[in-house]
Amino acid sequence: MSKESKENANSPIEKLAGTPLEFVKEGTQFINKCKKPDTKEYTKIIRAVGLGFVAVGVIGYAIKLIHIPIRYLIV
Amino acid sequence: MVATPPPPGGQRILRRRRQVQSSKEKKAKQTPTSARSAGFGGSSGSILKVFTEEANAFRIDSLIVLFLAFGFVLSVFGLHIVNKMSGRLY
Amino acid sequence: MANFSLIDTVKPFLPVLPEIELPYEKLEFDDKIVYTIASGLIYLFSQFPLAGIPKDSETGKILTNVKDPIFFLRGVFAAEPNTLLEFGIFPIVSTSIILQLLAGLKCIRVNFTVEKERETFQSFSKLLIIIQYFILANIFIFSGYYGDNLPIVSIVLLNLQLVGAGIFATLLVEIIDKGFGFASGVMSINTLVVSTNLIADMFGVASIKINEESDVTESQGSVIYFLNAFRAKHLTIVQGIVNAFQRDYLPNLTSSVIVLAIAAVVGYLFSCTLELPVRSTRARAMQNVYPIRLIYVGALSIYFSYSLLFYIHIAAFALIQIVAKNDTSNILAKVLGHYEIFNNILYVPSFPLSLLAPPRSFFAGIVEQPLTFITFTAFMVYTGMWFAHKWQRISGDSANDLAEQFKDQGITLAGRREQNIAKELEKVIPVAATTGAVVLALVTVAGEYLGLKGKAAAAVVGVAGGFSLLEIISLEYQQTGGQSALTQVLGVPSTF
């Protein structure tokens, strides 16, 4: 507890200048404490976002397609 | 052995009141660091917002702007056509 | 006024600065989708070829030796070379992010509690954005990027087009920002452009001439090209397949796969959260968790690092090209480095400017600029981290702000005294923000080192922006109770 509060006194930036190792340690500790998604959750998220991404991308590309004949027309 | 409890009121309460008062004042004096921390929308931790207020400038309706933007691109298209028709314009 | 403030300099310009009106009432969910998509599509449509550039009458090529010096920065800012959106949304992103940072760090005095000051601050940002579009346009014009010795008519026309498009891009962002669309204009537009480019790079059907002498054309999309490899006329099947993975002049399958991998990694990182156990102060035995995201500042740290990079490279370009004429014997070119033409479209900087530019391919990087691997990584990591640390404190999502929110919502950290919430959160949030920014920077540079020429950073920004937006969109969707005509028609899954 006392060690943590001592670390807290300095900002992470000062820590990087002085002891980058401490920052790396703190960071990896944090990552280790993080809850990672399991395979099922992960596929669900990826599918939802991927679907949205592709849908939006296709709509966007449809607009881009208009540019192709226009480019031929004006070059 | 039993310590006598401090009498109610008096110095202590006053001191605490003063403390609370000064911390409140400090908070009020400290201007917020962003529109959002002042409680008026704006960028958050992971969202960058640029325009949230309606400033007293030259006001236009949003739909009109969408049409104007479209028209702007069309005018550039027209420029291309004029350029092509008249050969080397510039 | 005793304390003259910088932002007040905008006041004389107010009558001519365009300003979108706020919506009269809160828009429906469907209307928001329509507005967001419409603004984004008009932005895409504005990636329209510039008029008034002198061209070779036969090949249609621009007559200039000055090539694209910011090719690796374009992806992040949705910029397309030789179009109206030559600089994309760069001035908008960089100006707003830096001004808000400066205001937060009290370098500029803005009192955000006063409505008048917030308005002035916003108008000041807008003016600065338009000025930057103008400066950038003229740096490109006078560098000879659009051709040497342009006639005055061309210069005026190019200025009108580039600055006009810049103003309209700003207004499109403003429309989305002001509540007609979802959350953030720059992020919505960027996500749309990144996803469009991804589709175009993979499934683009346009055929593009690959060299000037012959009439051989190849498809733009890597997947389409791969499928076409079996019946290409100028290559054998094996050559065609190999070429599909490693062609350098158009999108190849390898880079498409790397981009998808980066998107998957960013998706994974975004779902890493530290779950703090919380309990309600009102109801007993209400245990719950409050997630603190690892990527606490989202893609903003990458935006910030790339904004700095853009300023550095555009300044260097102005000095090397306009002042020193890219002449290696000039003292400026000796100090800063010069540009070498690559593939007839890119301007690759040489040492020492190359220290802050990702290599054009992994092997070229190892052979020609091994030091870049250290300097560029250090730059990205350090700036990202510095930004994340400052931003989490000023953006209204700091430990103190969160503690206040906890109080309002009547929740508290389990096993902690209520007075200590802010202190406990202070132990978590800055670490999350800086660690997340560092991890995201590392993913970006790893992708860039594989020679994606800005597409890696674009993928990170696009996907991360998409995630941040999706959170808000799904929240609003739930608030409407899932009553949306659009989603019913499209059959979009109602849960995220």
Side-chain angles (χ1 to χ4, degrees):
Chain A
M1 188 65 200
S2 64
K3 194 176 161 251
E4 267 178 49
S5 57
K6 207 175 79 191
E7 276 172 18
N8 219 27
N10 314 338
S11 78
I13 299 306
E14 285 161 23
K15 253 185 277 172
L16 184 78
T19 51
L21 263 181
E22 207 145 297
F23 172 75
V24 171
K25 211 179 84 196
E26 213 170 275
T28 41
Q29 252 175 18
F30 184 85
I31 294 174
N32 288 335
K33 272 193 283 178
C34 275
K35 186 183 148 287
K36 281 107 188 155
D38 58 27
T39 323
K40 206 177 137 205
E41 273 175 345
Y42 182 60
T43 38
K44 198 177 146 202
I45 291 167
I46 289 293
R47 202 186 311 140
V49 177
L51 226 89
F53 228 67
V54 170
V56 169
V58 168
I59 298 173
Y61 189 63
I63 289 286
K64 285 276 226 180
L65 280 178
I66 301 174
H67 282 174
I68 296 172
I70 289 179
R71 270 176 200 262
Y72 272 106
L73 205 68
I74 58 187
V75 168
Chain B
M1 287 300 280
V2 180
T4 47
Q11 283 289 315
R12 229 191 207 191
I13 294 270
L14 262 179
R15 203 186 319 146
R16 189 171 301 160
R17 261 190 208 152
R18 223 174 283 140
Q19 253 174 19
V20 169
Q21 188 68 25
S22 73
S23 81
K24 259 188 192 162
E25 268 172 12
K26 211 172 155 193
K27 220 174 193 179
K29 240 186 224 166
Q30 198 182 37
T31 50
T33 46
S34 66
R36 187 152 176 275
S37 61
F40 294 100
S43 305
S44 73
S46 58
I47 301 273
L48 178 67
K49 278 190 143 196
V50 194
F51 306 105
T52 42
E53 298 294 323
E54 191 174 54
N56 197 8
F58 179 69
R59 291 191 182 170
I60 330 171
D61 184 71
S62 57
L63 260 181
I64 293 173
V65 168
L66 288 182
F67 283 115
L68 279 179
F70 192 73
F72 176 74
V73 179
L74 286 188
S75 73
V76 174
F77 178 65
L79 207 59
H80 274 287
I81 298 294
V82 170
N83 192 8
K84 202 177 163 139
M85 295 294 238
S86 62
R88 291 206 153 270
L89 181 68
Y90 331 108
Chain C
M1 232 167 102
N3 42 11
F4 167 81
S5 89
L6 179 69
I7 58 167
D8 283 336
T9 49
V10 71
K11 288 209 167 130
F13 299 95
L14 279 181
V16 289
L17 268 187
E19 179 79 28
I20 308 275
E21 288 168 358
L22 282 168
Y24 294 113
E25 51 190 13
K26 210 166 173 298
L27 267 79
E28 299 280 319
F29 182 79
D30 286 358
D31 293 342
K32 280 193 175 184
I33 289 202
V34 170
Y35 262 108
T36 311
I37 300 264
S39 314
L41 291 186
I42 288 180
Y43 182 90
L44 271 175
F45 187 60
S46 311
Q47 295 187 337
F48 198 85
L50 279 166
I53 308 174
K55 286 178 185 150
D56 191 285
S57 47
E58 276 161 33
T59 57
K61 286 268 172 203
I62 299 167
L63 299 163
T64 176
N65 287 323
V66 183
K67 305 299 177 194
D68 188 0
I70 49 165
F71 62 93
F72 53 92
L73 299 163
R74 288 187 184 274
V76 177
F77 299 113
E80 281 279 307
N82 290 320
T83 66
L84 290 174
L85 291 165
E86 184 80 69
F87 311 108
I89 50 173
F90 160 71
I92 308 172
V93 173
S94 66
T95 309
S96 56
I97 216 166
I98 289 172
L99 279 185
Q100 285 180 29
L101 197 64
L102 288 179
L105 298 177
K106 314 271 172 187
C107 300
I108 313 174
R109 193 176 309 152
V110 186
N111 188 352
F112 283 104
T113 45
V114 182
E115 189 182 5
K116 202 91 203 135
E117 292 220 4
R118 288 200 306 276
E119 288 176 2
T120 319
F121 179 68
Q122 179 184 307
S123 298
F124 178 70
S125 311
K126 193 183 282 172
L127 183 68
L128 216 57
I129 289 167
I130 296 170
I131 290 173
Q132 280 181 64
Y133 271 115
F134 178 75
I135 293 172
L136 288 170
N138 284 293
I139 286 178
F140 265 47
I141 289 169
F142 288 102
S143 70
Y145 179 77
Y146 299 117
D148 301 321
N149 302 323
L150 286 175
I152 192 86
V153 187
S154 277
I155 293 180
V156 172
L157 277 177
L158 281 171
N159 258 314
L160 281 177
Q161 292 175 72
L162 288 168
V163 179
I167 292 174
F168 277 114
T170 317
L171 291 177
L172 290 178
V173 168
E174 189 173 345
I175 289 177
I176 301 180
D177 266 1
K178 279 198 170 160
F180 289 100
F182 289 106
S184 161
V186 280
M187 290 164 90
S188 302
I189 285 179
N190 221 340
T191 305
L192 177 68
V193 172
V194 169
S195 57
T196 301
N197 287 345
L198 184 69
I199 294 290
D201 284 354
M202 288 179 76
F203 305 105
V205 290
S207 23
I208 292 165
K209 252 190 212 165
I210 55 169
N211 60 31
E212 271 146 61
E213 291 87 50
S214 60
D215 268 343
V216 178
T217 58
E218 285 185 3
S219 321
Q220 185 194 2
S222 56
V223 176
I224 303 283
Y225 177 72
F226 178 70
L227 297 176
N228 275 340
F230 299 101
R231 52 187 188 83
K233 290 185 192 80
H234 65 289
L235 297 169
T236 65
I237 290 177
V238 177
Q239 269 178 331
I241 291 171
V242 171
N243 206 24
F245 278 97
Q246 51 167 271
R247 62 177 179 168
D248 202 19
Y249 38 90
L250 283 172
N252 62 33
L253 270 180
T254 321
S255 61
S256 301
V257 170
I258 298 171
V259 166
L260 290 182
I262 288 172
V265 170
V266 174
Y268 183 82
L269 289 174
F270 247 81
S271 30
C272 286
T273 52
L274 185 71
E275 298 194 324
L276 298 175
V278 292
R279 62 176 176 80
S280 171
T281 48
R282 285 159 201 163
R284 266 175 184 278
M286 278 276 282
Q287 289 280 347
N288 216 331
V289 286
Y290 188 90
I292 300 284
R293 173 158 288 155
L294 169 64
I295 311 287
Y296 198 75
V297 295
L300 299 192
S301 60
I302 304 289
Y303 272 133
F304 178 72
S305 303
Y306 265 70
S307 295
L308 294 184
L309 273 182
F310 198 113
Y311 281 126
I312 293 170
H313 279 277
I314 208 75
F317 177 66
L319 286 175
I320 295 170
Q321 191 63 48
I322 299 178
V323 182
K325 301 281 173 221
N326 200 19
D327 180 1
T328 43
S329 58
N330 192 300
I331 180 80
L332 258 173
K334 272 181 189 150
V335 175
L336 290 171
H338 62 277
Y339 290 103
E340 275 156 22
I341 296 173
F342 179 72
N343 249 359
N344 220 5
I345 41 169
L346 308 181
Y347 232 24
V348 180
S350 73
F351 187 82
L353 187 55
S354 65
L355 288 178
L356 285 180
R360 63 187 155 79
S361 75
F362 183 65
F363 296 108
I366 285 189
V367 177
E368 291 160 21
Q369 46 187 94
L371 263 180
T372 301
F373 288 89
I374 301 165
T375 48
F376 189 65
T377 315
F379 177 85
M380 289 294 292
V381 166
Y382 191 80
T383 50
M385 192 174 149
W386 182 83
F387 173 79
H389 181 243
K390 299 289 178 215
W391 189 260
Q392 57 86 15
R393 228 178 42 206
I394 64 167
S395 65
D397 271 335
S398 69
N400 281 327
D401 299 313
L402 220 56
E404 207 107 302
Q405 274 180 38
F406 274 28
K407 214 187 229 169
D408 292 344
Q409 292 171 6
I411 49 175
T412 180
L413 289 174
R416 307 279 180 200
R417 291 223 319 237
E418 219 171 315
Q419 288 86 341
N420 288 344
I421 297 180
K423 254 187 194 161
E424 288 297 322
L425 289 172
E426 185 65 38
K427 277 181 204 158
V428 178
I429 289 176
V431 181
T434 45
T435 311
V438 168
V439 172
L440 215 55
L442 289 177
V443 172
T444 311
V445 292
E448 285 298 323
Y449 288 155
L450 296 171
L452 291 198
K453 301 192 190 78
K455 279 186 190 139
V460 170
V461 167
V463 175
F467 265 97
S468 301
L469 290 176
L470 190 70
E471 206 168 62
I472 287 174
I473 294 175
S474 57
L475 195 73
E476 286 202 21
Y477 182 65
Q478 277 159 18
Q479 280 169 358
T480 62
Q483 296 293 312
S484 162
L486 267 178
T487 45
Q488 272 166 17
V489 171
L490 296 171
V492 180
S494 57
T495 50
F496 156 25

